[in-house]
Coordinates of all heavy atoms in Angstrom, one line a residue:
M1 N 148.8 81.2 97.0 CA 147.6 81.7 97.5 C 146.6 82.1 96.6 O 146.8 82.9 95.7 CB 148.1 83.0 98.4 CG 146.8 83.7 99.0 SD 147.2 85.3 99.6 CE 147.2 85.0 101.4
V2 N 145.4 81.5 96.7 CA 144.3 81.9 95.7 C 143.4 82.8 96.5 O 142.8 82.4 97.7 CB 143.6 80.5 95.3 CG1 142.4 80.9 94.5 CG2 144.6 79.6 94.6
I3 N 143.1 83.9 95.9 CA 142.1 84.8 96.5 C 140.9 84.9 95.5 O 141.1 85.1 94.4 CB 142.7 86.2 96.6 CG1 143.9 86.2 97.5 CG2 141.7 87.2 97.2 CD1 144.8 87.4 97.6
S4 N 139.7 84.6 96.1 CA 138.5 84.8 95.3 C 137.9 86.1 95.4 O 137.6 86.6 96.5 CB 137.6 83.8 95.9 OG 136.3 83.9 95.2
I5 N 137.9 86.8 94.3 CA 137.3 88.2 94.4 C 135.8 88.0 93.8 O 135.6 87.5 92.7 CB 138.2 89.2 93.4 CG1 139.5 89.3 94.0 CG2 137.4 90.5 93.4 CD1 140.4 90.0 93.2
R6 N 134.9 88.6 94.6 CA 133.6 88.5 94.1 C 133.0 89.7 93.3 O 132.3 89.6 92.3 CB 132.6 88.4 95.3 CG 132.9 87.0 96.0 CD 131.9 86.9 97.1 NE 132.3 85.5 97.7 CZ 132.7 85.5 99.0 NH1 132.9 86.6 99.6 NH2 133.0 84.3 99.5
S7 N 133.6 90.8 93.5 CA 133.1 92.0 92.8 C 134.1 93.1 92.9 O 135.0 93.3 93.9 CB 131.7 92.4 93.1 OG 131.9 93.0 94.5
I8 N 134.1 94.1 92.0 CA 134.8 95.4 92.1 C 134.5 96.1 93.3 O 135.3 96.7 94.0 CB 134.8 96.2 90.9 CG1 135.5 95.4 89.6 CG2 135.2 97.6 91.0 CD1 135.4 96.0 88.3
K9 N 133.1 96.1 93.7 CA 132.7 96.8 94.8 C 133.4 96.3 96.1 O 133.8 97.2 96.8 CB 131.2 96.6 94.9 CG 130.5 97.2 96.1 CD 129.1 97.1 96.3 CE 128.5 97.7 97.5 NZ 127.3 97.6 97.8
E10 N 133.6 95.0 96.3 CA 134.2 94.4 97.3 C 135.7 94.9 97.4 O 136.3 95.3 98.4 CB 134.2 92.9 97.3 CG 133.1 92.2 97.7 CD 133.2 90.7 97.9 OE1 133.7 90.1 96.9 OE2 132.7 90.1 98.7
V11 N 136.4 95.0 96.2 CA 137.8 95.5 96.2 C 137.8 96.9 96.6 O 138.5 97.4 97.5 CB 138.3 95.3 94.9 CG1 139.8 96.0 94.8 CG2 138.5 93.7 94.5
K12 N 136.9 97.8 96.2 CA 136.9 99.2 96.6 C 136.6 99.3 98.1 O 137.2 100.1 98.6 CB 135.9 99.9 95.8 CG 136.3 100.1 94.3 CD 135.4 101.2 93.6 CE 134.1 100.6 93.2 NZ 133.4 101.6 92.3
E13 N 135.7 98.5 98.6 CA 135.4 98.5 100.0 C 136.6 98.1 100.9 O 136.9 98.7 101.9 CB 134.2 97.7 100.5 CG 132.9 98.3 99.8 CD 131.7 97.3 100.0 OE1 131.8 96.1 100.3 OE2 130.5 97.9 99.8
K14 N 137.4 97.2 100.4 CA 138.5 96.6 101.2 C 139.7 97.8 101.1 O 140.3 97.9 102.1 CB 138.9 95.4 100.5 CG 140.2 94.7 101.3 CD 139.8 94.5 102.7 CE 140.1 93.1 103.1 NZ 139.7 92.7 104.4
I15 N 139.7 98.3 100.0 CA 140.8 99.5 99.8 C 140.5 100.6 100.8 O 141.3 101.1 101.5 CB 140.9 100.0 98.4 CG1 141.6 98.9 97.5 CG2 141.6 101.4 98.3 CD1 141.6 99.1 96.1
G16 N 139.2 100.9 100.8 CA 138.7 101.9 101.8 C 138.9 101.6 103.2 O 139.4 102.5 104.0
L17 N 138.7 100.3 103.6 CA 138.9 99.9 104.9 C 140.4 100.0 105.4 O 140.8 100.6 106.5 CB 138.5 98.4 105.1 CG 138.6 97.7 106.4 CD1 137.8 98.6 107.5 CD2 138.1 96.4 106.4
V18 N 141.3 99.5 104.4 CA 142.7 99.6 104.7 C 143.1 101.0 104.7 O 143.9 101.5 105.7 CB 143.5 98.8 103.6 CG1 144.9 99.1 103.7 CG2 143.2 97.4 103.7
C19 N 142.5 102.0 103.9 CA 143.0 103.3 104.0 C 142.6 103.9 105.4 O 143.5 104.6 106.0 CB 142.2 104.2 102.8 SG 142.6 105.9 102.8
R20 N 141.4 103.7 105.8 CA 140.9 104.2 107.1 C 141.7 103.6 108.2 O 142.0 104.4 109.1 CB 139.4 103.8 107.3 CG 138.8 104.4 108.6 CD 137.3 104.1 108.7 NE 136.5 104.5 107.6 CZ 135.9 103.8 106.7 NH1 136.1 102.4 106.8 NH2 135.2 104.2 105.8
Q21 N 141.9 102.3 108.2 CA 142.7 101.7 109.3 C 144.2 102.4 109.3 O 144.6 102.6 110.5 CB 142.9 100.2 109.1 CG 141.5 99.6 109.4 CD 141.7 98.0 109.0 OE1 142.5 97.6 108.1 NE2 140.7 97.2 109.6
Q22 N 144.8 102.6 108.2 CA 146.2 103.1 108.2 C 146.1 104.6 108.5 O 147.0 104.9 109.3 CB 146.8 103.0 106.8 CG 147.1 101.7 106.4 CD 148.2 101.1 107.2 OE1 149.3 101.7 107.5 NE2 147.9 99.8 107.8
R23 N 145.2 105.3 108.2 CA 145.1 106.7 108.5 C 144.9 106.9 110.1 O 145.6 107.6 110.7 CB 143.9 107.4 107.8 CG 143.7 108.8 108.2 CD 142.6 109.4 107.4 NE 141.3 108.8 107.7 CZ 140.5 109.0 108.7 NH1 141.0 109.8 109.8 NH2 139.4 108.4 108.9
K24 N 144.1 106.1 110.5 CA 143.8 106.1 112.1 C 145.0 105.6 112.8 O 145.4 106.1 113.9 CB 142.5 105.4 112.4 CG 141.2 106.1 112.0 CD 139.9 105.4 112.4 CE 138.8 106.2 112.0 NZ 137.6 105.6 112.6
A25 N 145.7 104.5 112.3 CA 146.8 104.0 112.9 C 148.0 105.0 113.0 O 148.8 105.0 114.0 CB 147.2 102.7 112.3
N26 N 147.9 106.0 112.1 CA 149.0 106.9 112.0 C 148.5 108.3 112.6 O 149.1 109.3 112.4 CB 149.4 107.1 110.5 CG 150.3 106.1 110.2 OD1 151.5 106.0 110.4 ND2 149.7 104.9 109.5
N27 N 147.4 108.2 113.3 CA 146.8 109.3 114.1 C 146.6 110.7 113.1 O 146.9 111.7 113.4 CB 147.6 109.9 115.2 CG 147.6 108.7 116.3 OD1 146.5 108.2 116.5 ND2 148.7 108.3 116.8
L28 N 146.0 110.4 111.9 CA 145.9 111.5 110.9 C 144.3 111.6 110.7 O 143.6 110.7 110.7 CB 146.5 111.1 109.4 CG 147.9 110.9 109.5 CD1 148.4 110.3 108.1 CD2 148.7 112.3 109.7
S29 N 144.0 112.9 110.5 CA 142.6 113.2 110.1 C 142.4 113.0 108.7 O 143.6 112.9 108.0 CB 142.2 114.6 110.6 OG 143.0 115.5 109.8
R30 N 141.3 113.0 108.1 CA 141.2 113.0 106.6 C 141.8 114.2 106.1 O 142.5 114.1 105.0 CB 139.7 112.9 106.3 CG 139.0 111.5 106.5 CD 137.6 111.5 106.1 NE 137.2 110.2 106.2 CZ 135.8 109.9 106.3 NH1 134.9 111.0 106.5 NH2 135.4 108.6 106.5
N31 N 141.6 115.4 106.7 CA 142.2 116.6 106.2 C 143.7 116.5 106.1 O 144.3 117.1 105.2 CB 141.8 117.8 107.1 CG 140.4 118.1 106.8 OD1 139.8 117.9 105.7 ND2 139.6 118.8 107.7
E32 N 144.3 115.9 107.2 CA 145.8 115.8 107.3 C 146.3 114.9 106.2 O 147.4 115.3 105.5 CB 146.3 115.4 108.7 CG 146.0 116.4 109.8 CD 146.3 116.0 111.2 OE1 145.9 114.6 111.3 OE2 146.7 116.7 112.0
L33 N 145.7 113.9 105.9 CA 146.1 113.0 104.9 C 145.9 113.6 103.6 O 146.7 113.5 102.7 CB 145.4 111.7 105.0 CG 145.6 110.5 104.0 CD1 147.1 110.2 103.9 CD2 144.8 109.2 104.2
A34 N 144.8 114.2 103.3 CA 144.6 115.0 102.1 C 145.5 115.9 101.7 O 146.1 115.9 100.7 CB 143.1 115.5 102.2
E35 N 146.0 116.6 102.8 CA 147.0 117.7 102.6 C 148.4 117.1 102.2 O 149.0 117.5 101.4 CB 147.2 118.6 103.9 CG 148.0 119.7 103.7 CD 148.1 120.6 104.9 OE1 147.0 120.8 105.5 OE2 149.1 121.1 105.3
A36 N 148.7 116.0 103.0 CA 150.0 115.3 102.6 C 150.1 114.8 101.3 O 151.1 114.7 100.7 CB 150.1 114.2 103.7
L37 N 148.8 114.4 100.7 CA 148.9 113.8 99.4 C 148.4 114.7 98.3 O 148.3 114.4 97.1 CB 147.9 112.6 99.4 CG 148.2 111.4 100.3 CD1 147.1 110.4 100.2 CD2 149.5 110.9 100.1
D38 N 148.1 115.9 98.6 CA 147.7 117.0 97.7 C 146.4 116.6 96.9 O 146.3 116.8 95.7 CB 148.8 117.4 96.8 CG 148.6 118.7 96.0 OD1 147.8 119.5 96.5 OD2 149.1 118.7 94.8
V39 N 145.5 116.0 97.7 CA 144.1 115.8 97.2 C 143.1 116.4 98.3 O 143.5 117.0 99.2 CB 143.8 114.3 97.0 CG1 144.9 113.6 96.2 CG2 143.8 113.5 98.6
S40 N 141.9 116.3 97.9 CA 140.9 116.9 98.9 C 140.4 115.9 99.9 O 140.5 114.7 99.8 CB 139.6 117.4 98.0 OG 138.8 116.2 97.6
A41 N 140.0 116.4 101.0 CA 139.4 115.6 102.1 C 138.2 114.7 101.5 O 138.0 113.6 102.0 CB 139.0 116.4 103.3
T42 N 137.5 115.3 100.5 CA 136.4 114.6 100.0 C 136.9 113.3 99.2 O 136.3 112.2 99.3 CB 135.6 115.4 99.1 OG1 135.0 116.6 99.8 CG2 134.4 114.8 98.4
T43 N 138.1 113.5 98.6 CA 138.8 112.3 97.9 C 139.0 111.1 99.0 O 138.7 110.0 98.7 CB 139.9 112.7 97.1 OG1 139.5 113.7 96.1 CG2 140.7 111.6 96.6
I44 N 139.5 111.6 100.0 CA 139.9 110.5 101.1 C 138.6 109.9 101.6 O 138.4 108.7 101.8 CB 140.7 111.2 102.3 CG1 142.0 111.8 101.7 CG2 141.0 110.2 103.3 CD1 142.9 110.9 101.0
Q45 N 137.6 110.8 101.9 CA 136.3 110.2 102.3 C 135.7 109.3 101.3 O 135.2 108.2 101.7 CB 135.4 111.5 102.6 CG 133.9 110.9 103.1 CD 133.1 112.2 103.4 OE1 133.3 113.2 103.0 NE2 131.9 111.9 104.0
N46 N 135.7 109.6 100.0 CA 135.2 108.8 99.0 C 136.0 107.5 98.9 O 135.3 106.4 98.9 CB 135.2 109.5 97.7 CG 134.1 110.5 97.5 OD1 133.1 110.5 98.3 ND2 134.4 111.3 96.6
I47 N 137.3 107.5 99.1 CA 138.0 106.2 99.0 C 137.6 105.4 100.2 O 137.4 104.2 100.1 CB 139.5 106.5 99.0 CG1 140.0 107.2 97.6 CG2 140.4 105.3 99.3 CD1 141.3 107.7 97.6
E48 N 137.7 106.0 101.4 CA 137.3 105.2 102.5 C 135.9 104.6 102.6 O 135.6 103.5 103.2 CB 137.5 106.2 103.8 CG 139.0 106.4 104.2 CD 139.2 107.2 105.3 OE1 138.1 107.6 106.1 OE2 140.3 107.4 105.8
N49 N 134.9 105.2 101.9 CA 133.7 104.9 101.7 C 133.3 103.8 100.5 O 132.3 103.4 100.1 CB 132.7 105.9 101.6 CG 132.5 106.6 103.0 OD1 132.7 106.0 104.0 ND2 132.3 107.9 103.0
G50 N 134.5 103.4 99.8 CA 134.5 102.5 98.8 C 133.9 103.1 97.5 O 133.4 102.4 96.7
K51 N 134.0 104.4 97.4 CA 133.4 105.0 96.2 C 134.6 105.1 95.1 O 135.7 104.9 95.4 CB 132.8 106.4 96.5 CG 131.7 106.2 97.4 CD 130.9 107.5 97.7 CE 129.7 107.2 98.5 NZ 129.0 108.3 98.9
N52 N 134.3 105.6 93.9 CA 135.1 105.8 93.0 C 136.4 106.7 93.2 O 136.1 107.7 93.8 CB 134.5 106.3 91.6 CG 133.6 105.1 90.9 OD1 133.7 104.0 91.3 ND2 132.7 105.6 90.2
S53 N 137.5 106.2 92.8 CA 138.7 107.2 92.9 C 139.6 106.7 91.7 O 139.4 105.7 91.1 CB 139.5 106.7 94.2 OG 140.5 107.6 94.3
T54 N 140.5 107.6 91.5 CA 141.5 107.2 90.3 C 142.5 106.3 91.0 O 142.9 106.3 92.2 CB 142.1 108.6 90.0 OG1 143.0 109.1 91.0 CG2 141.3 109.6 89.4
L55 N 143.2 105.6 90.1 CA 144.3 104.8 90.5 C 145.3 105.5 91.1 O 146.0 105.1 92.0 CB 144.7 103.9 89.2 CG 145.8 102.9 89.5 CD1 145.5 101.9 90.6 CD2 146.2 102.2 88.1
D56 N 145.6 106.6 90.5 CA 146.7 107.5 91.0 C 146.5 107.9 92.5 O 147.4 107.8 93.3 CB 146.8 108.9 90.2 CG 147.5 108.7 88.8 OD1 148.1 107.6 88.6 OD2 147.4 109.6 88.0
N57 N 145.3 108.2 92.8 CA 145.0 108.5 94.2 C 145.2 107.4 95.1 O 145.7 107.4 96.2 CB 143.6 109.2 94.4 CG 143.6 110.6 93.9 OD1 144.6 111.3 93.9 ND2 142.6 111.0 93.5
I58 N 144.7 106.1 94.7 CA 144.9 104.9 95.5 C 146.4 104.6 95.6 O 146.8 104.3 96.7 CB 144.1 103.7 94.9 CG1 142.6 104.0 94.9 CG2 144.5 102.4 95.5 CD1 141.7 103.1 94.2
L59 N 147.1 104.8 94.6 CA 148.6 104.5 94.7 C 149.2 105.6 95.6 O 150.2 105.2 96.3 CB 149.2 104.4 93.3 CG 148.7 103.1 92.5 CD1 149.3 103.2 91.1 CD2 149.0 101.9 93.2
K60 N 148.8 106.7 95.6 CA 149.4 107.8 96.5 C 149.2 107.4 97.9 O 150.1 107.5 98.7 CB 148.8 109.1 96.2 CG 149.1 109.9 95.0 CD 148.4 111.3 95.0 CE 148.6 112.0 93.8 NZ 147.9 113.3 93.8
I61 N 147.9 106.9 98.3 CA 147.8 106.5 99.5 C 148.6 105.3 99.9 O 149.2 105.2 101.0 CB 146.2 106.1 99.7 CG1 145.4 107.4 99.7 CG2 146.0 105.3 101.1 CD1 144.0 107.2 99.7
A62 N 148.7 104.3 99.0 CA 149.5 103.0 99.2 C 151.0 103.5 99.5 O 151.7 103.0 100.4 CB 149.5 102.1 98.0
N63 N 151.5 104.4 98.7 CA 152.8 104.9 98.9 C 153.0 105.6 100.2 O 154.0 105.3 100.9 CB 153.2 105.8 97.7 CG 154.7 106.1 97.7 OD1 155.5 105.3 97.8 ND2 155.0 107.4 97.6
H64 N 152.1 106.3 100.6 CA 152.1 107.2 101.7 C 152.3 106.3 103.0 O 153.1 106.5 104.0 CB 151.0 108.1 101.9 CG 151.0 109.0 103.2 ND1 151.8 110.1 103.2 CD2 150.5 108.9 104.4 CE1 151.6 110.7 104.4 NE2 150.9 109.9 105.0
F65 N 151.6 105.1 103.0 CA 151.6 104.2 104.1 C 152.5 103.1 104.0 O 152.5 102.0 104.7 CB 150.2 103.6 104.4 CG 149.2 104.7 104.9 CD1 148.1 105.1 104.2 CD2 149.5 105.4 106.1 CE1 147.2 106.0 104.6 CE2 148.7 106.4 106.5 CZ 147.6 106.7 105.8
G66 N 153.5 103.1 103.0 CA 154.5 102.1 102.7 C 153.9 100.8 102.1 O 154.5 99.7 102.4
L67 N 152.9 100.8 101.4 CA 152.2 99.6 100.8 C 152.5 99.4 99.5 O 152.2 98.3 98.8 CB 150.8 99.6 101.2 CG 150.3 99.7 102.5 CD1 148.8 100.0 102.6 CD2 150.7 98.6 103.4
L68 N 153.1 100.3 98.8 CA 153.4 100.3 97.4 C 154.2 99.2 97.0 O 153.9 98.5 96.1 CB 153.9 101.6 96.8 CG 153.7 101.8 95.4 CD1 152.4 101.9 94.9 CD2 154.4 103.4 94.9
S69 N 155.2 98.8 97.6 CA 156.1 97.7 97.3 C 155.4 96.4 97.5 O 155.6 95.4 96.6 CB 157.4 97.7 98.3 OG 158.2 98.7 97.9
S70 N 154.4 96.3 98.4 CA 153.7 95.0 98.5 C 152.8 94.8 97.4 O 152.6 93.8 96.9 CB 152.9 95.1 99.9 OG 153.7 95.0 101.0
I71 N 152.2 96.0 97.0 CA 151.3 95.8 95.7 C 152.1 95.4 94.6 O 151.7 94.6 93.8 CB 150.6 97.2 95.5 CG1 149.6 97.4 96.7 CG2 149.9 97.3 94.3 CD1 149.0 98.7 96.7
Y72 N 153.2 96.0 94.3 CA 154.1 95.8 93.2 C 154.5 94.3 93.2 O 154.5 93.6 92.3 CB 155.3 96.6 93.2 CG 156.1 96.5 91.9 CD1 155.7 97.0 90.7 CD2 157.3 95.8 91.9 CE1 156.5 96.9 89.6 CE2 158.1 95.6 90.9 CZ 157.7 96.1 89.7 OH 158.6 96.0 88.5
D73 N 155.0 93.8 94.4 CA 155.4 92.4 94.5 C 154.3 91.5 94.3 O 154.5 90.4 93.6 CB 155.8 92.2 96.0 CG 157.2 92.9 96.2 OD1 157.9 93.3 95.3 OD2 157.6 93.0 97.4
S74 N 153.1 91.8 94.7 CA 151.9 90.9 94.4 C 151.6 90.8 92.9 O 151.2 89.8 92.5 CB 150.7 91.5 95.2 OG 150.8 91.3 96.6
L75 N 151.8 91.9 92.3 CA 151.5 91.9 90.8 C 152.6 91.2 90.1 O 152.3 90.6 89.1 CB 151.6 93.4 90.3 CG 150.3 94.2 90.6 CD1 150.5 95.6 90.3 CD2 149.1 93.7 90.2
N76 N 153.8 91.2 90.6 CA 154.8 90.3 90.1 C 154.7 88.9 90.2 O 155.1 88.1 89.4 CB 156.2 90.7 90.6 CG 156.8 92.0 90.0 OD1 156.5 92.3 88.8 ND2 157.7 92.6 90.7
T77 N 153.9 88.5 91.1 CA 153.7 87.1 91.4 C 152.3 86.6 90.7 O 152.0 85.4 90.8 CB 153.6 86.7 92.9 OG1 152.5 87.4 93.5 CG2 154.8 87.1 93.7
F78 N 151.6 87.5 90.1 CA 150.5 87.1 89.4 C 150.8 86.2 88.3 O 151.6 86.3 87.5 CB 149.9 88.4 88.8 CG 148.6 88.0 88.0 CD1 147.4 87.9 88.5 CD2 148.7 88.3 86.6 CE1 146.2 87.6 87.8 CE2 147.5 87.9 85.8 CZ 146.4 87.7 86.4
E79 N 150.0 85.1 88.3 CA 150.1 84.1 87.3 C 149.0 84.2 86.3 O 147.8 84.3 86.6 CB 150.1 82.7 87.8 CG 151.4 82.4 88.5 CD 151.3 80.9 89.1 OE1 150.2 80.4 89.2 OE2 152.4 80.5 89.6
H80 N 149.3 84.3 85.0 CA 148.1 84.5 84.0 C 147.2 83.3 84.0 O 147.8 82.1 83.7 CB 148.8 84.7 82.6 CG 147.7 85.0 81.4 ND1 147.1 86.1 81.4 CD2 147.3 84.2 80.5 CE1 146.2 86.1 80.5 NE2 146.4 84.9 79.9
D81 N 146.0 83.5 84.0 CA 145.1 82.5 84.0 C 144.1 82.6 82.8 O 143.6 83.7 82.7 CB 144.2 82.5 85.3 CG 143.2 81.4 85.3 OD1 143.0 80.6 84.5 OD2 142.5 81.3 86.5
E82 N 144.0 81.8 82.0 CA 143.1 81.8 80.8 C 141.7 82.0 81.1 O 140.9 82.4 80.2 CB 143.4 80.6 79.9 CG 144.7 80.5 79.3 CD 145.2 81.6 78.4 OE1 144.3 82.2 77.6 OE2 146.3 82.1 78.5
T83 N 141.3 81.7 82.3 CA 139.9 81.8 82.6 C 139.7 83.3 83.0 O 140.1 84.0 83.9 CB 139.6 81.0 83.9 OG1 140.0 79.7 83.7 CG2 138.0 80.9 84.3
Y84 N 138.7 83.7 82.3 CA 138.3 85.3 82.5 C 136.8 85.3 83.2 O 136.0 84.6 82.7 CB 138.1 86.0 81.2 CG 137.6 87.4 81.4 CD1 138.5 88.4 82.0 CD2 136.3 87.7 81.2 CE1 138.1 89.7 82.2 CE2 135.9 89.1 81.4 CZ 136.8 90.0 81.8 OH 136.3 91.2 82.2
E85 N 136.8 86.0 84.3 CA 135.4 86.1 85.0 C 135.2 87.5 85.2 O 136.1 88.2 85.8 CB 135.6 85.3 86.3 CG 134.2 85.0 86.8 CD 134.3 84.0 88.0 OE1 135.1 83.0 88.0 OE2 133.7 84.3 89.0
S86 N 134.2 88.1 84.8 CA 133.8 89.5 84.9 C 133.7 89.7 86.4 O 133.2 89.0 87.2 CB 132.5 89.8 84.2 OG 132.3 91.2 84.5
L87 N 134.2 90.9 86.8 CA 134.1 91.4 88.3 C 132.9 92.2 88.4 O 132.7 92.6 89.4 CB 135.4 92.2 88.6 CG 136.6 91.3 88.6 CD1 137.8 92.3 89.0 CD2 136.6 90.2 89.6
Y88 N 132.1 92.6 87.3 CA 131.0 93.4 87.5 C 129.8 92.7 87.7 O 129.6 91.5 87.3 CB 130.9 94.2 86.3 CG 132.0 95.3 86.1 CD1 133.0 95.1 85.3 CD2 131.8 96.6 86.8 CE1 133.9 96.1 85.2 CE2 132.7 97.5 86.7 CZ 133.7 97.2 85.9 OH 134.7 98.2 85.8

């Protein structure tokens, strides 16, 4: 499967969308998710809006919603490509 990534902004927006969808599917408010992850509601809001966040916080969210294994498996299937294209 080849995925074309156009920019880091797109990736952040997609992460935010998945976070919001998972939170709502689990009937959680931003405050409830923030409390469960020991982060601020503003952090959750920023992630959902595609703004900067730490990798740790993104992985906390992935783990909370059972997505961490999928991310790890995807990384294991990554094939090194000599072609480097800036995402910025």
Side-chain angles (χ1 to χ4, degrees):
M1 170 192 258
V2 176
I3 299 173
S4 176
I5 298 172
R6 294 188 182 107
S7 70
I8 288 176
K9 180 181 179 188
E10 277 185 322
V11 173
K12 289 194 278 186
E13 288 171 350
K14 186 60 130 180
I15 289 169
L17 178 64
V18 170
C19 178
R20 183 179 301 110
Q21 289 172 337
Q22 289 295 311
R23 177 178 60 77
K24 288 183 176 187
N26 286 275
N27 296 315
L28 294 171
S29 69
R30 285 181 178 155
N31 287 334
E32 289 169 328
L33 179 56
E35 187 175 317
L37 300 177
D38 196 29
V39 299
S40 70
T42 302
T43 295
I44 301 302
Q45 180 179 10
N46 286 341
I47 292 169
E48 289 184 357
N49 290 327
K51 296 186 178 176
N52 289 340
S53 181
T54 65
L55 180 58
D56 283 347
N57 286 337
I58 291 170
L59 293 177
K60 282 181 185 180
I61 290 169
N63 187 52
H64 184 80
F65 292 122
L67 302 171
L68 200 57
S69 291
S70 295
I71 292 170
Y72 186 79
D73 291 344
S74 292
L75 291 171
N76 278 333
T77 61
F78 175 75
E79 293 180 342
H80 182 69
D81 183 355
E82 294 297 323
T83 307
Y84 175 79
E85 200 172 312
S86 176
L87 297 178
Y88 288 98

